[in-house]
Amino acid sequence: EIYTLSLHDALPIWFSMIINLATLALVTYHAITWFLVMPKTAPLLFIKRRPVPDKLIVNGALVGFAGASIVLLALFLLTAP
């Protein structure tokens, strides 16, 4: 019988967790910096002929990012063996 060792089997669990946490930190940093730059490069948004403040756009985007992250984390924790 031939047994093939997968990368998941070869690496310790803690190493995988460190890589995942580092990736999460980099994605979070990228998202926050992108949300800070985005209003400066995007066209003006108007609601009832009034411009939407940049701070509202940034805060809305950060709340959306945080909400999506929480949902993905919950799904991961609920489906983990």
Side-chain angles (χ1 to χ4, degrees), residues 5 7 11 14 23 25 33-35 38-39 42 47 49 51 54 62 68 74 79:
L5 187 65
L7 184 60
L11 294 175
W14 62 266
T23 303
T33 55
W34 185 82
F35 289 137
M38 188 253 316
I47 296 178
R49 297 183 184 208
D54 290 348
L62 288 174
T79 58

Side-chain angles (χ1 to χ4, degrees), residues 16-72:
S16 176
M17 291 183 71
I18 289 172
I19 296 297
N20 287 333
L21 288 174
T23 303
L24 179 63
L26 289 172
V27 167
T28 302
Y29 173 76
H30 172 71
I32 290 171
T33 55
W34 185 82
F35 289 137
L36 294 175
V37 170
M38 188 253 316
K40 297 173 185 166
T41 60
L44 289 176
L45 297 176
F46 292 92
I47 296 178
K48 295 184 181 180
R49 297 183 184 208
R50 300 177 89 187
V52 177
D54 290 348
K55 190 172 185 175
L56 181 62
I57 296 170
V58 170
N59 289 341
L62 288 174
V63 167
F65 176 75
S69 297
I70 290 169
V71 168
L72 289 173

